[in-house]
Amino acid sequence: MEYGFRSIEKKWQDAWKQNNSYSVKNDPSKPKYYVLDMFPYPSGAGLHVGHPLGYIASDIFSRYKRLKGFNVLHPMGFDSFGLPAEQYAIEHGIAPAISTNQNIENFISQLDKIGFCYDWNREVRTSNPDYYKWTQWIFLQLFDAWFDRKSQTAKRIDELVLIFSKEGNPSIACPGDKKLFFSASDWNSFNEADKESVLMKYRLAFCGVGEVNWCEALGTVLANDEVINGVSERGGHPVVKKKLRQWYLRITEYAERLLAGLETVDYSESMKDMQSNWIGKSFGAEIDFEINSENELALGKNLKVYTTRPDTIFGVDFMVIAPEHELVSQITTEVQADAVSQYVEYVNSRSERERMAEKKISGVFSGSYCKNPFNGVLIPIWISEYVLAGYGTGAIMAVPCGDERDFKFAQHFDIPVTNIIGDFFDGKEANPTKEARLENSGFLDGLLMTEAMVVALNKIEEIGIGKRQTNYRMRDAAFSRQRYWGEPFPIVWKGDVAEPLSEASLPVELPPMTDLKPGPDAQGPLANLPDWVQYEGGIREVNTMPGYAGSSWYFLRYMDPKNEHEFCSREASDYWGQVDIYIGGTEHAVGHLLYSRMWTKVMFDLGYIGFDEPFKRLVNQGKIGGDSRLVYRVRGTKQFVSAGLKDAYETDEIHVDVSLVDGFELNMEGFKKWKPDFLGAEFITEDGVYKCGGRLEKMSKRYFNVVNPDDIVVKYGADTFRMYEMFLGPVEQDKPWDTKGIEGVHRFIKKFWRLFFDVEKGLVVNTSAADAASWKVFYKMLKKVEEDTARFSFNTAVSGFMIGVNELTDLNCHAKELLEKFLVILTPYAPHICEELWSQLGNVGSVLDAEYPVLEEKYLIETSKEYPVAVNGKTRIVINLELSATQEEVEAIVLKEPMIIKWLEGKPPKKIIFIKNKMINVVV
RNA sequence: GCGGGUGUGGUGAAAUUGGUAGACACGCCAGACUUAGGAUCUGGUGCCGCAAGGUAUGGGGGUUCGAGUCCCUCCACCCGCACCA
């Protein structure tokens, strides 16, 4: 019987669906294991061969865990809100809900062909009202919470109101407005609107006016991580700063816990680094400098700077403040007024993009000075865009001998440089060392900079001109979009007061719309629906939530997907707990992963779940790149020249569809028919063959290098496809797709099949006992495969299977008792063929419910070993020795070996090193 | 610039702890069965050499009886961040 994979795979995929084979219950009697894939955005392009890599790995791991007796949660869903569906709707007039559902159907059909063991009963779609009802509900929890810095937890707004009414806010610094202070009696005298505006400055989800990243082309605001080098991540459109009323998440309050939490999870070093760099914690001091100015407005004012190097305070040669700094107008002197206003105007005219692109040194002197509190020296205050308004205090003390940017600025404007680090400074380049002994530094003279840091900090605090200060680079996350295809906010505006809707009125459903043009005043499309906007005597919020809203908590919904009363019951989340293993790409390092970590912490703080890190272990699968093929057209002609000859011509390279190329050889007839342009193509060949050029690049439609998994599955079957993707190399590594190598894996599967079936004789499995040699092969394989699977080394596990099949074939082993066990351990990798053979052997039920074989060490015990014998570290011969051999015995045997005697060249051995079970080395 | 990672045959890659470098495959070469093969099977295949042997894990140096693995140094490539004081 032939291995007919097409009918076998179809048969079992249907059977699994019919029998609900992969449905999983919340069963506290069994140990749980939660394996999660990052759910996809269902794009119109469908899956290419790179997407399933992580899914296959997680599928193998899930099946393996299930066989090992765990109750495994392995769900899949769709991150179905987002920009592309909306753009598609604008371009093609198809409602996002419709195109999204079509795309999802397509995704599911592609996934099902690969034989994944998802429990589709638990599927979630972020754009379904039953799902986003709870996204909105969680938003209301964020809205109704503030962060208590003392206990480092989120608490309810009620509690804050109570504190305010008793003692005002002196003990609870306002995160939204550092200068806001009021007493209990102030609070009690505020009217409702005033109180609400104060509370808004504390809420974890809050509305504020701020500079946002505005993208004109997309007609929306983007989060910082959606802006790359001043252009939008999606589409590459220019992004400028714009002031708009926006919703935000106060993620900055969680900076410390997000940082600390990294210590408790198993992510890769680079992932942890990316996150902690993004959070960007730094230690330093805020120091007040007395301003000395001719401008009366500056009288008695201080300039507050932030520095991480208070030890260099005697090296300060100038101050720099951001052009947006509030003191700019107050410290500008009459003489400098024109220059300053010109400069500020110039800075405002520059877009974010320009600022990033050309980093030229620019700035202007304000005309005023600061006084160094320790030596009374007057320090000029400059204004320059290299200091950012949004970080620290928006003002710095510049120490050119120690800071590169300060040094360049000083050079550019001829500001004299004070050297406080002696020989460490050569006058040509700043030296940011911390190892120098300080000079010209008053009371810090002679101290090592690292020591001086503490001394200076203490002194600064002692005389009351500043304090220690920790800063974070991370900003609050913009949480609203002027778009249609996202979750509506459960908020109604009554005047300037944002009123949350009650839980009973959720979900706030997205009203159907066909024409998605933007509303007036840069508002989203929803603003065009007056009937919807008017609601209960107020006006609905017309922004929608960003793409990351739904994905910040979906892993919780899978635990209890049909619950109509709660986002997820506490019982379910207590049982399933953290995601044990989370698999996905690195592109979500600072977006999705950080937001879901924050949401989890808030839900934990408010008592809805029992853990505060969502993902215990994170594995980042590599990207599979495309292997493009290129043809070379002789410029201005219809002639195409083969790659080996192209240098003799002036050519233009053109990407050609990889399906028209076998290896590097072009199918010339196919090429002519591919596009009308090429109909009359002529070829300059090498011996009748047209060879294409090759290039590794992203797998993408526009390079015509996309390989669709469906095609591979049709040609080789899902089992081969799954194993080949794993065999390609380590899951975490990027690698190019190469269809050629798949033959080897396919051969392996066919060879495996032949252990059971002979083309002529049919079933060849027998019921006689397997011999010890076969068992040894089997258990050796079991050991390797199990260890490799457990440590996510799937490529070596596949090779373990190959070795097993090769050796069992050589041993002519067809014993049922052994092959049945083999089926069980291969099932995670190649589920269809194993299910088929399992039933062919007469078993009832699924191989997934079989028992995972237990390693029997007795078959692996060796009594002797082939020892390599080296002379001075170079292996010369291999000899077989009993494992019980002692040092003396080994020495005697080795020294009698003719080859060893030859290599000793008559010299006496100095030492013989014998490492049991490893090797022997004779030292001369 | 800062942080992280990777460099091993013609190719994808192996080598948990320092112990026979290149497992397992692809490709290639030779052969068998074949009208034929892009099916299947057998053998070979890092490089130099007829061989004995030599030589090889990006380059250089070190530690060690022994280094792909540990240390120092330099180089190349990839990813992330980037005026964050």
Side-chain angles (χ1 to χ4, degrees):
Chain A
M1 197 168 130
E2 289 272 9
Y3 166 47
F5 56 83
R6 286 192 197 99
S7 56
I8 291 173
E9 292 182 354
K10 173 89 177 46
K11 171 179 159 191
W12 289 104
Q13 282 167 13
D14 291 347
W16 292 330
K17 198 175 277 173
Q18 233 166 43
N19 301 337
N20 251 323
S21 303
Y22 301 123
S23 109
V24 52
K25 297 203 168 54
N26 297 2
D27 175 2
S29 71
K30 276 176 152 177
K32 69 92 191 186
Y33 203 86
Y34 190 177
V35 182
L36 183 65
D37 291 302
M38 288 187 187
F39 65 166
Y41 175 80
S43 82
L47 292 173
H48 66 61
V49 114
H51 295 113
L53 183 74
Y55 302 157
I56 295 170
S58 65
D59 195 72
I60 289 170
F61 203 71
S62 303
R63 289 172 185 268
Y64 167 71
K65 279 286 172 184
R66 174 166 169 182
L67 286 167
K68 294 290 276 183
F70 289 88
N71 193 27
V72 178
L73 180 55
H74 185 219
M76 181 46 90
F78 299 94
D79 189 11
S80 46
F81 269 138
L83 262 177
E86 188 156 346
Q87 295 288 73
Y88 190 83
I90 291 166
E91 285 158 28
H92 299 89
I94 295 170
I98 293 169
S99 64
T100 300
N101 278 337
Q102 283 168 354
N103 293 347
I104 291 178
E105 292 318 310
N106 181 39
F107 263 64
I108 292 179
S109 113
Q110 283 190 295
L111 291 171
D112 278 347
K113 283 179 195 145
I114 304 170
F116 292 124
C117 62
Y118 296 124
D119 180 358
W120 284 114
N121 299 318
R122 290 174 183 261
E123 183 203 316
V124 302
R125 299 183 186 186
T126 55
S127 59
N128 269 5
D130 334 355
Y131 181 87
Y132 68 68
K133 169 181 179 175
W134 299 107
T135 309
Q136 292 169 339
W137 180 85
I138 295 175
F139 169 81
L140 291 179
Q141 310 313 307
L142 291 159
F143 182 78
D144 189 42
W146 60 288
F147 191 78
D148 178 13
R149 291 180 181 174
K150 275 182 223 116
S151 61
Q152 285 282 303
T153 61
K155 290 181 176 167
R156 291 293 181 182
I157 290 289
D158 282 358
E159 207 174 317
L160 189 64
V161 171
L162 197 66
I163 297 170
F164 286 169
S165 66
K166 281 184 185 157
E167 52 190 75
N169 80 338
S171 66
I172 301 169
C174 178
D177 182 357
K178 284 182 185 173
K179 293 188 178 124
L180 179 70
F181 289 105
F182 53 85
S183 65
S185 60
D186 291 340
W187 172 261
N188 292 323
S189 70
F190 289 161
N191 65 31
E192 280 310 304
D194 289 342
K195 285 183 180 172
E196 282 304 325
S197 103
V198 168
L199 291 176
M200 195 61 106
K201 292 180 173 135
Y202 284 86
R203 296 181 190 275
L204 287 180
F206 67 98
C207 201
V209 176
E211 284 209 327
V212 295
N213 302 305
W214 171 255
C215 180
E216 187 65 44
L218 296 174
T220 191
V221 163
L222 300 170
N224 282 336
D225 52 285
E226 290 170 317
V227 183
I228 312 287
N229 292 329
V231 300
S232 66
E233 185 188 22
R234 220 177 258 285
H237 306 292
V239 174
V240 295
K241 292 280 182 198
K242 185 169 182 166
K243 280 201 159 117
L244 270 181
R245 197 188 72 193
Q246 288 296 319
W247 287 92
Y248 293 89
L249 294 186
R250 217 180 287 282
I251 192 170
T252 49
E253 290 294 287
Y254 275 89
E256 194 55 47
R257 274 176 66 193
L258 288 169
L259 210 50
L262 288 175
E263 305 294 323
T264 69
V265 292
D266 183 7
Y267 297 2
S268 70
E269 274 315 300
S270 65
M271 179 60 62
K272 287 185 181 182
D273 280 341
M274 273 189 242
Q275 294 207 357
S276 53
N277 288 344
W278 185 260
I279 295 167
K281 183 177 186 173
S282 71
F283 302 97
E286 279 183 6
I287 308 172
D288 288 317
F289 287 80
E290 195 181 305
I291 296 175
N292 191 319
S293 174
E294 289 165 14
N295 189 328
E296 287 169 11
L297 293 169
L299 216 64
K301 295 236 156 116
N302 285 333
L303 179 65
K304 194 186 277 297
V305 302
Y306 176 71
T307 180
T308 55
R309 295 299 300 273
D311 53 314
T312 62
I313 193 158
F314 288 91
V316 178
D317 291 313
F318 55 101
M319 300 288 184
V320 188
I321 69 176
E324 299 86 353
H325 198 283
E326 55 176 10
L327 283 177
V328 167
S329 58
Q330 299 166 34
I331 59 167
T332 300
T333 58
E334 249 182 85
V335 186
Q336 289 298 88
D338 284 348
V340 169
S341 68
Q342 266 173 34
Y343 183 69
V344 171
E345 206 170 298
Y346 159 78
V347 171
N348 284 340
S349 74
R350 276 154 64 80
S351 68
E352 188 83 347
R353 189 181 189 178
E354 284 168 319
R355 278 214 215 179
M356 297 234 187
E358 25 149 342
K359 293 172 183 169
K360 61 180 185 195
I361 299 166
S362 72
V364 66
F365 177 46
S366 69
S368 298
Y369 296 83
C370 276
K371 206 157 97 186
N372 188 320
F374 294 116
N375 59 11
V377 170
L378 286 181
I379 308 163
I381 308 174
W382 287 68
I383 299 161
S384 170
E385 64 177 355
Y386 89 86
V387 170
L388 307 176
Y391 183 77
T393 61
I396 63 155
M397 54 178 230
V399 183
C401 74
D403 184 282
E404 196 194 331
R405 292 152 308 175
D406 297 347
F407 184 74
K408 286 195 174 139
F409 193 88
Q411 269 192 321
H412 191 261
F413 289 106
D414 277 327
I415 303 169
V417 175
T418 307
N419 181 14
I420 52 167
I421 51 175
D423 294 342
F424 281 81
F425 179 61
D426 61 6
K428 296 189 187 85
E429 220 179 10
N431 185 346
T433 181
K434 288 178 182 171
E435 306 304 323
R437 279 199 190 278
L438 287 162
E439 299 176 10
N440 300 324
S441 288
F443 68 97
L444 298 172
D445 268 347
L447 287 174
L448 217 53
M449 295 177 104
T450 42
E451 302 160 0
M453 199 96 73
V454 184
V455 175
L457 279 170
N458 290 343
K459 187 85 174 182
I460 286 163
E461 290 189 333
E462 188 189 311
I463 62 175
I465 55 161
K467 61 175 175 41
R468 285 176 164 82
Q469 175 71 34
T470 301
N471 271 341
Y472 300 92
R473 191 178 330 199
M474 182 169 60
R475 310 293 158 82
D476 285 328
F479 193 68
S480 44
R481 300 288 184 268
Q482 291 63 53
R483 283 274 144 177
Y484 169 74
W485 192 233
E487 300 87 348
F489 282 83
I491 292 286
V492 170
W493 288 92
K494 302 243 168 100
D496 282 336
V497 176
E499 269 187 19
L501 294 177
S502 68
E503 191 178 327
S505 58
L506 301 183
V508 177
E509 288 208 39
L510 196 54
M513 274 183 97
T514 40
D515 185 5
L516 300 180
K517 63 174 191 287
D521 304 325
Q523 295 185 90
L526 289 174
N528 295 326
L529 298 176
D531 291 349
W532 183 80
V533 172
Q534 295 293 332
Y535 185 76
E536 290 187 350
I539 296 171
R540 283 189 195 269
E541 171 63 60
V542 295
N543 281 314
T544 54
M545 297 185 200
Y548 64 83
S551 61
S552 291
W553 73 281
Y554 73 112
F555 45 91
L556 296 169
R557 188 63 179 172
Y558 284 137
M559 300 173 180
D560 198 3
K562 302 266 155 64
N563 195 328
E564 289 175 16
H565 310 290
E566 290 170 279
F567 72 103
C568 170
S569 73
R570 183 65 197 256
E571 200 186 358
S573 66
D574 279 350
Y575 174 61
W576 291 110
Q578 287 173 292
V579 172
D580 291 283
I581 195 153
Y582 192 29
I583 298 161
T586 48
E587 64 271 21
H588 299 110
V590 293
H592 160 64
L593 283 166
L594 227 35
Y595 301 127
S596 22
R597 292 184 58 219
M598 178 206 170
W599 285 40
T600 302
K601 288 176 192 304
V602 176
M603 296 309 275
F604 171 78
D605 290 352
L606 298 179
Y608 291 109
I609 53 175
F611 47 91
D612 90 327
E613 278 291 340
F615 316 119
K616 203 190 268 179
R617 181 174 169 203
L618 176 69
V619 171
N620 299 113
Q621 93 271 18
K623 285 192 204 20
I624 292 192
D627 191 4
S628 304
R629 288 294 175 264
L630 304 160
V631 294
Y632 305 92
R633 180 162 60 192
V634 180
R635 189 160 296 169
T637 71
K638 288 194 155 192
Q639 287 190 312
F640 291 82
V641 58
S642 188
L645 307 170
K646 75 172 163 53
D647 291 347
Y649 301 83
E650 198 187 343
T651 59
D652 297 307
E653 58 173 41
I654 298 169
H655 278 86
V656 57
D657 198 303
V658 288
S659 64
L660 295 169
V661 184
D662 181 16
F664 287 93
E665 199 181 319
L666 181 68
N667 169 354
M668 290 181 270
E669 289 312 305
F671 178 72
K672 286 185 193 170
K673 287 180 204 139
W674 183 40
K675 283 185 180 177
D677 277 13
F678 304 142
L679 205 58
E682 294 160 26
F683 300 95
I684 304 171
T685 60
E686 297 172 64
D687 299 327
V689 172
Y690 187 98
K691 292 215 186 266
C692 297
R695 183 186 297 154
L696 297 178
E697 52 201 345
K698 209 180 131 196
M699 200 172 271
S700 162
K701 261 186 182 170
R702 74 186 145 126
Y703 300 134
F704 301 106
N705 60 4
V706 174
V707 181
N708 188 323
D710 294 7
D711 298 340
I712 305 291
V713 167
V714 167
K715 195 159 176 207
Y716 297 100
D719 287 335
T720 297
F721 175 65
R722 291 165 63 104
M723 289 193 86
Y724 180 55
E725 287 241 339
M726 293 297 99
F727 190 58
L728 234 35
V731 219
E732 299 186 73
Q733 195 172 298
D734 288 351
K735 54 218 151 203
W737 175 262
D738 170 21
T739 304
K740 285 221 140 173
I742 201 168
E743 297 284 352
V745 175
H746 196 53
R747 260 173 230 155
F748 153 77
I749 299 230
K750 285 190 284 188
K751 201 166 176 181
F752 175 69
W753 177 264
R754 288 200 298 271
L755 288 175
F756 298 78
F757 281 102
D758 185 277
V759 186
E760 279 139 33
K761 290 184 250 170
L763 194 67
V764 289
V765 176
N766 57 53
T767 49
S768 51
D771 56 20
S774 299
W775 281 123
K776 184 173 174 181
V777 168
F778 176 77
Y779 283 112
K780 202 176 67 186
M781 170 171 71
L782 173 66
K783 187 163 193 261
K784 175 163 181 58
V785 166
E786 202 176 342
E787 281 170 5
D788 288 350
T789 304
R791 67 185 172 104
F792 262 59
S793 177
F794 302 111
N795 55 328
T796 53
V798 173
S799 110
F801 284 123
M802 287 174 168
I803 294 167
V805 166
N806 289 343
E807 293 184 355
L808 290 175
T809 303
D810 290 345
L811 289 168
N812 217 0
C813 171
H814 300 286
K816 185 179 176 197
E817 58 168 357
L818 186 151
L819 292 178
E820 253 178 10
K821 287 192 196 298
F822 197 159
L823 286 176
V824 178
I825 66 173
L826 185 61
T827 295
Y829 291 79
H832 308 85
I833 189 175
C834 291
E835 201 77 274
E836 171 69 13
L837 291 169
W838 181 255
S839 95
Q840 290 276 357
L841 292 185
N843 292 291
V844 185
S846 170
V847 63
L848 269 178
D849 298 318
E851 225 167 280
Y852 201 84
V854 178
L855 181 61
E856 294 208 40
E857 295 277 0
K858 69 176 176 186
Y859 290 105
L860 298 182
I861 293 166
E862 306 271 359
T863 54
S864 65
K865 177 181 166 64
E866 300 281 320
Y867 280 93
V869 185
V871 178
N872 282 342
K874 270 200 167 58
T875 306
R876 296 302 178 185
I877 54 164
V878 176
I879 57 172
N880 193 284
L881 291 174
E882 295 294 307
L883 277 176
S884 57
T886 63
Q887 175 88 25
E888 290 73 27
E889 288 164 356
V890 168
E891 288 190 12
I893 295 167
V894 163
L895 291 176
K896 274 188 210 132
E897 284 291 328
M899 283 300 283
I900 298 299
I901 293 168
K902 185 192 149 203
W903 282 105
L904 286 176
E905 294 168 336
K907 285 172 261 183
K910 202 190 278 175
K911 197 156 90 179
I912 295 177
I913 292 165
F914 169 57
I915 313 282
K916 198 168 175 172
N917 217 357
K918 288 268 176 356
M919 53 89 69
I920 297 158
N921 190 12
V922 183
V923 186
V924 188

